[in-house]
Amino acid sequence: MALALAFGLLYSLPNLFGEAPAVQVSSAKATVKVEPRLAEQVEAALAETGVAHKGVVWEANAAGNTLRVRFDNTDLQLRGKDALEKSLNEASGAGQDARYVLALNLVSSSPSWLTAIHALPMYLGLDLRGGVHFLLQVDTQAASSKRLDALLGEARTLLRDKRLRHAGITRTKDALEIRFKEDASKEAASGLLRTQFAEMDWQEQQASGTADRILLGRIKPSALTRIQELAVKQNIVTLANRINELGVAEPIVQQQGVSRIVVQLPGVQDTAKAKDILGRTASLEIRMVDDGPEAQAALSQPVVRVPAGLELFQERGGAPLLLRKEVVLTGDNLTDAQAGFDSQNPGEPAVHLTLDGKGARIFRDVTRENVGRRMAIVLVEKGRGEVITAPVIRGEIPGGRVQISGRMTSIEAKDTALLLRAGSLAAPMEIVEERLIGPSLGADNITKGLNATLYGFAAIAVFMILYYAIFGVASVLALSLNLLLLIACLSLLQATLTLPGIAAVALTLGMAIDANVLINERVREELRAGASPQMAITTGYDKAWATILDSNITTLIAGVALLAFGSGPVRGFAVVHVLGILTSMFSAVFFSRGLINLWYGSRRVKTLAVG
């Protein structure tokens, strides 16, 4: 009982400390990382300007790493933001995009000793904090069509390289159709295509009205499902990268169903800006690096004067590069990017790119003509580009399979592949639902929800004490522990509390007291049957336990079904409901029995105060 009470107090306590004003530092570009060492620069900038703060915390999450600087009041918060803006983004220079996004935010005021044991407050959902909600529909058919177009180009290139003659390649709605005049060419092509395009199912047909032989290729159902799933996942990654610019503390970007994405941005009130971020496009470009004498001379000057026909860029490490204006390839020719290992050095991480047919031809010609020179891969966003990597071309690269390697860790290779895939959306999306919730409405929701829970608890407590006397007091204390444990579990799991969640808390209190009513009535029945007080307590709890267990299991099954198949508010309700059932079974039976035994177990009594 003491351990349960201590656990409930410790892990529900952070919710009482409230929130403190803070400045959140996050990345403004996909290629800029927020590392833990950035905290030193932040602290130095604040110390230089004389702005006192209460701590700098680095956090890693799915939407991107962030730094949060906590302050005592909003005045220091505003001064701190101005100081950090000058320190972190002044290197970008006039007219340049900022490297970091600084957003005003609120963070928990829990003391460090609670944070050290992972005692954190619950997150507040959109309906309690305010913000915007979008439901996006991903056009997965467009992703399948895009892949089929890429396969068409790859098949045409493959057959030409192998010198296999055909009478034309066309694309129908969901298949590729290759015509042949000769059986020998058709048989050779059939074996080659089945080997090289394992994701496709190739069928031989006879053309009606002509003597042409046809190979009809369709993407296999399993591969089609994988393409559509990857399109949705890539869109989720892209949206998470874009939303990072908004500086949202706990954005929710998650898949709903097969082809829909839910985006919730607590605290964001600018719907137009949110739409702009969600719909923003990024592109990939491949250009040649100019390492000639003229370019080297220009880079060696204090102020770089860009020669005609070149553009100045920066590598990920900050080193300047001069690139030719001609774009060799764009991201439209990139079909996939995956992290892996160098084919020449198996232990060295690398990134493997897959180009479509057109891109493969261009890349083969360019690499053949530029052996020994550097080729830059540039991510272009909001009209400005940044060089992700600039490898040296070691030889001609045919087949549309490109490898990027050299001085990168496995994590960096994975990040680079992610950046290349997430440069643009894999499939178009449209907003099918949009909601805007103001902060005042969120605060009003919290007040009404807490009042409903408080008034319900008070009414139950008064009734139980008046009707069941000492047993009623034990029931109320057990109910209090149930509420404490429920909040502690939600806080420990870092669950997001929503308005349906508060409704589930109120419902849990009403349902939890049913178990105590059953127990108290059982004890009354045993007393009427002539049992002694101690025997009435023992028998009453034992007999009531079976009934309580049955009723709670049936309710738990319904809650698990809501949890498994529900989404959004329904799922938020189900999480609290299921946890509430588990905590109520413990508190109503074991904790209340412990209290009654503490009160009556150490002395002889003739009657029980059970109403």
Side-chain angles (χ1 to χ4, degrees):
M1 290 169 61
L3 288 174
L5 185 61
F7 170 80
L9 286 173
L10 279 177
Y11 284 93
S12 60
L13 195 59
N15 296 283
L16 300 179
F17 284 96
E19 295 179 314
V23 173
Q24 176 177 290
V25 181
S26 55
S27 172
K29 298 181 179 181
T31 52
V32 175
K33 295 182 180 180
V34 178
E35 302 288 356
R37 60 175 177 271
L38 185 64
E40 300 176 3
Q41 184 179 348
V42 168
E43 292 179 346
L46 294 175
E48 184 178 350
T49 54
V51 179
H53 64 89
K54 297 178 66 178
V56 180
V57 179
W58 178 82
E59 296 180 355
N61 52 60
N65 301 337
T66 59
L67 274 177
R68 296 187 187 180
V69 190
R70 192 168 61 181
F71 298 92
D72 279 322
N73 51 61
T74 54
D75 291 336
L76 290 174
Q77 179 192 33
L78 294 174
R79 288 172 54 196
K81 181 185 177 183
D82 292 338
L84 294 177
E85 187 73 47
K86 294 178 182 179
S87 174
L88 297 180
N89 289 328
E90 65 180 358
S92 299
Q96 301 287 324
D97 290 333
R99 291 170 57 82
Y100 299 97
V101 175
L102 281 80
L104 301 180
N105 217 319
L106 294 173
V107 297
S108 173
S109 297
S110 301
S112 57
W113 64 272
L114 279 176
T115 306
I117 61 172
H118 199 66
L120 303 171
M122 289 179 287
Y123 288 140
L124 295 181
L126 191 70
D127 48 2
L128 300 182
R129 177 173 286 187
V132 291
H133 165 97
F134 296 107
L135 181 61
L136 304 168
Q137 176 70 49
V138 181
D139 188 356
T140 53
Q141 293 300 321
S144 304
S145 178
K146 182 179 178 181
R147 180 57 183 159
L148 201 58
D149 287 335
L151 290 171
L152 184 147
E154 292 177 19
R156 182 179 285 117
T157 301
L158 180 64
L159 293 178
R160 185 179 61 250
D161 290 343
K162 298 299 182 180
R163 301 184 183 278
L164 293 174
R165 300 183 63 181
H166 58 85
I169 302 178
T170 57
R171 188 203 140 180
T172 61
K173 182 180 179 180
D174 60 350
L176 297 182
E177 187 178 283
I178 309 177
R179 291 176 175 266
F180 297 90
K181 297 292 185 181
E182 302 171 355
D183 285 332
S185 298
K186 184 198 69 173
E187 293 299 329
S190 177
L192 182 64
L193 291 171
R194 284 189 170 92
T195 302
Q196 296 296 324
F197 297 93
E199 62 187 294
M200 299 191 72
D201 183 22
W202 296 94
Q203 300 292 332
E204 298 181 7
Q205 294 183 357
Q206 181 68 43
S208 59
T210 67
D212 291 351
R213 290 78 168 170
I214 295 177
L215 276 179
L216 193 66
R218 286 188 173 87
I219 300 177
K220 295 178 180 178
S222 58
L224 196 61
T225 302
R226 184 178 64 86
I227 291 170
Q228 294 175 349
E229 289 176 349
L230 288 176
V232 175
K233 286 181 171 58
Q234 181 174 329
N235 278 14
I236 290 175
V237 172
T238 304
L239 289 175
N241 289 337
R242 295 177 181 181
I243 288 168
N244 195 39
E245 181 176 328
L246 290 172
V248 182
E250 293 92 26
I252 296 175
V253 184
Q254 61 187 18
Q255 185 172 346
Q256 183 181 87
V258 177
S259 60
R260 289 189 170 186
I261 299 175
V262 173
V263 177
Q264 293 185 353
L265 310 176
V268 174
Q269 302 301 313
D270 191 345
T271 310
K273 183 179 179 182
K275 283 185 177 179
D276 176 66
I277 293 298
L278 295 180
R280 194 177 69 204
T281 57
S283 59
L284 182 75
E285 293 181 355
I286 297 180
R287 301 190 186 190
M288 296 305 302
V289 179
D290 193 328
D291 288 326
E294 185 180 2
Q296 293 297 323
L299 291 175
S300 63
Q301 300 298 322
V303 179
V304 179
R305 294 183 178 179
V306 181
L310 302 180
E311 284 188 81
L312 180 63
F313 288 85
Q314 283 189 337
E315 286 190 272
R316 295 175 69 180
L321 279 179
L322 287 173
L323 307 184
R324 295 191 178 276
K325 288 187 176 180
E326 296 84 1
V327 178
V328 176
L329 282 174
T330 66
D332 294 335
N333 303 114
L334 181 66
T335 60
D336 192 20
Q338 297 291 336
F341 292 94
D342 193 329
S343 58
Q344 303 297 327
N345 303 302
E348 182 179 348
V351 178
H352 300 279
L353 310 180
T354 303
L355 302 174
D356 60 15
K358 178 183 175 182
R361 290 196 304 273
I362 296 173
F363 200 81
R364 178 191 59 196
D365 296 339
V366 170
T367 53
R368 183 178 61 243
E369 298 167 2
N370 294 278
V371 175
R373 298 180 60 190
R374 298 172 70 193
M375 176 181 285
I377 298 176
V378 184
L379 188 66
V380 181
E381 195 172 11
K382 295 197 299 184
R384 303 201 63 85
E386 184 166 9
V387 176
I388 297 177
T389 183
V392 176
I393 300 172
R394 302 298 183 188
E396 178 184 334
I397 304 176
R401 306 285 179 175
V402 185
Q403 177 179 285
I404 303 172
S405 62
R407 294 185 302 175
M408 67 171 66
T409 64
S410 297
I411 296 177
E412 289 173 338
K414 184 178 179 181
D415 291 343
T416 301
L418 184 67
L419 291 173
L420 295 177
R421 292 198 308 271
S424 59
L425 296 173
M429 298 185 298
E430 62 174 343
I431 298 174
V432 296
E433 181 185 343
E434 174 185 335
R435 293 202 307 267
L436 175 64
I437 300 176
S440 58
L441 179 60
D444 188 50
N445 285 340
I446 294 176
T447 301
K448 289 181 178 179
L450 292 180
N451 286 341
T453 303
L454 180 63
Y455 296 154
F457 182 87
I460 291 172
V462 170
F463 170 78
M464 292 297 291
I465 292 174
L466 291 178
Y467 199 74
Y468 291 113
I470 296 298
F471 275 73
V473 173
S475 299
V476 171
L477 291 177
L479 193 64
S480 302
L481 178 70
N482 179 34
L483 182 60
L484 203 63
L485 289 177
L486 179 57
I487 295 174
C489 290
L490 291 172
S491 300
L492 184 63
L493 295 174
Q494 284 291 273
T496 299
L497 184 65
T498 60
L499 194 59
I502 293 180
V505 171
L507 179 63
T508 297
L509 295 179
M511 294 175 60
I513 205 64
D514 287 348
N516 292 105
V517 171
L518 282 172
I519 292 169
N520 295 343
E521 290 299 329
R522 281 287 188 181
V523 172
R524 278 183 171 182
E525 290 178 4
E526 295 299 323
L527 290 174
R528 294 193 195 103
S532 65
Q534 298 294 352
M535 183 59 67
I537 293 173
T538 302
T539 307
Y541 273 95
D542 289 343
K543 288 184 176 181
W545 167 242
T547 305
I548 293 170
L549 183 63
D550 289 344
S551 63
N552 278 281
I553 285 179
T554 54
T555 310
L556 188 64
I557 292 172
V560 171
L562 289 176
L563 190 62
F565 301 107
S567 62
V570 174
R571 190 177 180 85
F573 175 89
V575 169
V576 180
H577 180 60
V578 169
L579 285 175
I581 292 173
L582 298 176
T583 56
S584 66
M585 290 176 65
F586 171 80
S587 61
V589 178
F590 299 105
F591 192 78
S592 67
R593 185 170 189 169
L595 291 175
I596 293 298
N597 286 334
L598 283 175
W599 184 258
Y600 288 111
S602 59
R603 55 196 175 92
R604 293 181 176 273
V605 292
K606 295 182 179 180
T607 59
L608 297 176
V610 71

